[in-house]
C-alpha cells in the first residue's frame, strides 16, 4: 500500500494538487469517477466513495455486495441473476438508487448501508427488520439450492 500512497501523492501533485481536487466537484459523476480511477490502486468503488464523501458528488453510489443486495431486495429482484458485480451491474444498481432517491441518492445509499449494520439494525421498525431477514433467508436458500444442483 505504501507504493499506492507514494504514486497517488505524486500524481495528485502532477495534476495540480488541491486545486485539481476542487475542480472535480464541478465534473459529472462519470468524469469524477474516471479521473479518480487514474490513481494507483483506486477502483470504481473507492473512486465513488471519494466523490461522494469529499467532492460533493451526491448522486454517486459506491456499490459493493451489500449495496447490491439492498438494490436486489428493494428495487429489482432480477439483479439476483447476475453472477458477479460487473461494471454493468454496478451502473444498474447506481441508476436504481438515483431513480428512486434523486440527486442526493448517495446520501440515501449511506443511510441504507448503515441501517444494514448490526449496531443500527435494531433501531429499524420491526416490519423493516422482518423484511430484511426474510430476504436474507431467501438468499441463503437460493445459494444452498444452487450448491446442491452442482
Amino acid at each position: 500500500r505504501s507504493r499506492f500512497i507514494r504514486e497517488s501523492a505524486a500524481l495528485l501533485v502532477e495534476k495540480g494538487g488541491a486545486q485539481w481536487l476542487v475542480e472535480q466537484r464541478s465534473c459529472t459523476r462519470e468524469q469524477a469517477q474516471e479521473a479518480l480511477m487514474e490513481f494507483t490502486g483506486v477502483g470504481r468503488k473507492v473512486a465513488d466513495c471519494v466523490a461522494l464523501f469529499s467532492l460533493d458528488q451526491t448522486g454517486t453510489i459506491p456499490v459493493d455486495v451489500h449495496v447490491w443486495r439492498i438494490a436486489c431486495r428493494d428495487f429489482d429482484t432480477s439483479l439476483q441473476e447476475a453472477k458477479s458485480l460487473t461494471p454493468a451491474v454496478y451502473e444498474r444498481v447506481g441508476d436504481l438508487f438515483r431513480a428512486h432517491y434523486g440527486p442526493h441518492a448517495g446520501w440515501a445509499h449511506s443511510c441504507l448501508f448503515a441501517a444494514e449494520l448490526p449496531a443500527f439494525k435494531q433501531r429499524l421498525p420491526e416490519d423493516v427488520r422482518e423484511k430484511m431477514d426474510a430476504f436474507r433467508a431467501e438468499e441463503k436458500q437460493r445459494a444452498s439450492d444452487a450448491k446442491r444442483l452442482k
Side-chain angles (χ1 to χ4, degrees), residues 54-139:
S54 300
L55 300 177
D56 301 327
Q57 296 283 343
T58 61
T60 298
I61 310 298
V63 179
D64 62 9
V65 295
H66 305 289
V67 174
W68 180 13
R69 190 175 294 135
I70 293 168
C72 289
R73 183 190 67 219
D74 296 347
F75 304 130
D76 183 359
T77 57
S78 74
L79 283 169
Q80 295 170 340
E81 296 168 16
K83 301 219 184 300
S84 64
L85 188 55
T86 65
V89 172
Y90 189 102
E91 196 62 29
R92 174 76 177 129
V93 169
D95 288 345
L96 287 165
F97 272 84
R98 285 184 286 277
H100 195 78
Y101 295 110
H104 299 291
W107 295 114
H109 145 278
S110 297
C111 291
L112 291 169
F113 181 87
E116 299 277 324
L117 299 173
F120 297 105
K121 187 175 175 186
Q122 293 306 313
R123 295 175 184 234
L124 296 172
E126 185 176 348
D127 63 317
V128 173
R129 289 193 316 265
E130 288 172 358
K131 179 182 175 185
M132 291 166 68
D133 292 342
F135 182 80
R136 188 70 181 131
E138 289 172 17
E139 274 188 324

